[in-house]
Amino acid sequence: MGRSTLLSVLCALVLAGCAGSAPEAARSKDRLLRVAAAVSAEPSAGAPAPGAAAEEAADAHEHEDEVDEDGAEVDDGLELPVDPGAGTRAHSPLTAMTEAQIEELLAKDPAALGPMSVGATNAGALFNGVRMPESDRWELVDPGHAWGTRETIDALDRAIAEVHRQFPGSPKLYIGHISARDGGRLSPHKSHQAGRDVDISYFLDARHRWYQRATAANLDRERTWAFVRALITETDVELILIDSSVQRLLKEHALKIGEDKGWLDEVFQYGSRKPRPLIRHARGHANHIHIRFYSPVAQESAVRAYPLLVKRGAIKPTAQYVRHTAKKGQTLGSLARQYGTTVEAIKRANGLRSTAIQAKRVYNIPRPSSGPAAPPKHVVVPPRRLPPPRAAEASPPARHDEAGPAMGG
């Protein structure tokens, strides 16, 4: 089947899919549009045939394995450990309130408590979420799943605004999933459950489409690096997932324009042996960036209000998981028996469609609970990883032969 014929068939399927139930139609439409985008893209050297590329693009997000270059899973759901002495403990206005005051607001004016990011990003919830607004600087791919904390929305806006400050008239970015309105499981992701994860496009050339793969031929290095740099230096970003092939292009550009190599080695996983870089490789992220923000106020508010939210039924108790690295020969059945849970519970916790598992992969194993789940832990936000001044920005050294300032007499 020729490419034009295949595209025609896919477009017809998109239109036909809209006739079903709204949620199912939206899911089908999104998947088919991704396939169509992949088919219409020009294949790079050595790339699979168009049909294979289309299927790979469509499945990349649905099977978001997120593994690093050594084959170990990127910690995409659990919060990264932070030395309490090396960061700032988050604070919330709710800390000064009594439980009775919080409970009264929950009953009469819950919105007054503000947004709350509850639990881990792969096992959490969102309370009083804020929807990403419409803008001429971005396009919401799925507005119904573009809810986050106020801090997430503001941080994203700030980083995009910085690109437009440097490059007026920049094209729109595509913003994919953030979270559902109340958080929780959002297919096909493992994370995106607590209003702090964002999927967003790269800045590409004029033919840019959502879910289009970034390559050396189409990546707008200047704008994309300005965006990533603003995320790192002007927001409380916890993690950025970018394919190593794109990391290479951005790092080379950053070095070319005079960024400090030592700082870039702290930031990028590509070409560096530094522990815990902010930007990590993850399979399936050559066609979009995954950003996770800290939301200090929203997270700390959730810690304070969690027992009352559960008590009043505003949220369900957040799940708790054991992280298990699968060994050769293990099955979901053996893991279920080992941990006292069920095969179906493990499948749900990991977004698995079948019972097949892979050795050396890390899986979430639900803990059986005999009582309420433990409340979220207090959050500590590490210092931002700021670069040293660029050479052009540094103050010139003082010259000893220069005359001092004139003195009035």
Side-chain angles (χ1 to χ4, degrees):
M1 183 183 294
R3 179 176 296 183
S4 60
T5 304
L6 180 55
L7 280 171
S8 298
V9 172
L10 288 170
C11 290
L13 288 172
V14 169
L15 294 174
C18 294
S21 65
E24 185 59 37
R27 287 192 293 269
S28 299
K29 180 180 178 182
D30 180 62
R31 177 176 172 81
L32 289 167
L33 286 173
R34 295 202 305 266
V35 175
V39 172
S40 62
E42 290 294 329
S44 58
E55 188 60 30
E56 179 184 358
D59 285 344
H61 217 51
E62 297 206 19
H63 302 280
E64 198 170 54
D65 294 318
E66 304 196 340
V67 293
D68 64 20
E69 291 165 303
D70 298 322
E73 184 186 65
V74 171
D75 202 26
D76 159 65
L78 300 183
E79 311 309 315
L80 302 181
V82 177
D83 178 1
T88 303
R89 166 78 177 270
H91 294 283
S92 160
L94 274 59
T95 304
M97 298 174 63
T98 66
E99 289 194 358
Q101 290 172 324
I102 296 174
E103 199 159 13
E104 182 179 4
L105 283 176
L106 276 172
K108 297 180 179 179
D109 187 14
L113 294 171
M116 300 186 204
S117 177
V118 186
T121 56
N122 72 340
L126 178 64
F127 184 73
N128 283 338
V130 179
R131 207 199 81 172
M132 191 75 192
E134 304 287 345
S135 172
D136 59 0
R137 293 179 174 179
W138 58 76
E139 181 175 328
L140 300 179
V141 177
D142 184 0
H145 295 110
W147 294 82
T149 66
R150 168 51 61 192
E151 292 144 294
T152 293
I153 303 304
D154 288 348
L156 200 55
D157 182 37
R158 188 178 312 125
I160 296 173
E162 175 59 20
V163 178
H164 284 261
R165 185 191 69 78
Q166 294 184 37
F167 304 98
S170 290
K172 288 183 178 181
L173 284 175
Y174 290 97
I175 298 176
H177 284 160
I178 303 178
S179 286
R181 183 167 190 165
D182 298 320
R185 176 76 181 172
L186 176 58
S187 179
H189 312 282
K190 296 176 182 177
S191 55
H192 289 268
Q193 296 196 28
R196 300 194 291 113
D197 291 286
V198 179
D199 282 349
I200 192 166
S201 67
Y202 296 97
F203 281 100
L204 302 181
D205 61 20
R207 296 171 295 171
H208 187 193
R209 297 176 303 278
W210 171 236
Y211 236 65
Q212 182 177 349
R213 187 180 184 90
T215 67
N218 67 8
L219 179 67
D220 186 326
R221 295 162 175 79
E222 289 186 323
R223 288 176 172 82
T224 300
W225 171 240
F227 175 60
V228 172
R229 193 182 198 276
L231 290 171
I232 295 168
T233 61
E234 298 188 25
T235 77
D236 292 317
V237 69
E238 180 179 349
L239 180 71
I240 303 174
L241 300 181
I242 295 178
D243 186 271
S244 58
S245 66
V246 186
Q247 286 190 47
R248 176 179 62 81
L249 298 173
L250 293 176
K251 190 172 184 180
E252 288 174 352
H253 170 75
L255 286 168
K256 184 178 178 180
I257 63 173
E259 298 285 10
D260 182 78
K261 184 180 185 302
W263 176 63
L264 293 177
D265 285 342
E266 293 281 349
V267 168
F268 285 98
Q269 183 178 24
Y270 175 82
S272 172
R273 298 283 183 182
K274 299 288 186 178
R276 287 298 187 187
L278 277 179
I279 304 174
R280 296 177 62 81
H281 169 77
R283 185 169 64 188
H285 290 78
N287 49 23
H288 71 287
I289 305 172
H290 179 116
I291 309 162
R292 175 169 305 138
F293 294 101
Y294 287 103
S295 292
V297 175
Q299 289 177 264
E300 197 65 19
S301 292
V303 173
R304 179 72 181 94
Y306 177 81
L308 300 175
L309 292 172
V310 173
K311 176 183 174 182
R312 294 193 61 86
I315 63 168
K316 295 179 180 179
T318 54
Q320 298 178 77
Y321 295 116
V322 175
R323 304 282 278 176
H324 179 93
T325 303
K327 299 178 176 63
K328 187 176 181 179
Q330 288 186 322
T331 65
L332 285 189
S334 66
L335 294 183
R337 289 190 294 274
Q338 178 179 344
Y339 288 99
T341 184
T342 67
V343 169
E344 286 304 315
I346 299 175
K347 286 176 65 177
R348 284 195 301 272
N350 295 277
L352 300 176
R353 295 182 175 183
S354 71
T355 57
I357 61 174
Q358 300 175 18
K360 297 183 180 180
R361 283 285 308 280
V362 181
Y363 293 92
N364 295 325
I365 311 297
R367 277 186 198 162
S369 177
S370 56
K377 296 180 180 179
H378 295 288
V379 63
V380 174
V381 181
R384 293 178 185 172
R385 301 194 196 185
L386 301 178
R390 298 179 187 176
E393 297 171 352
S395 300
R399 289 176 51 188
H400 296 291
D401 58 344
E402 286 182 344
M407 302 295 292

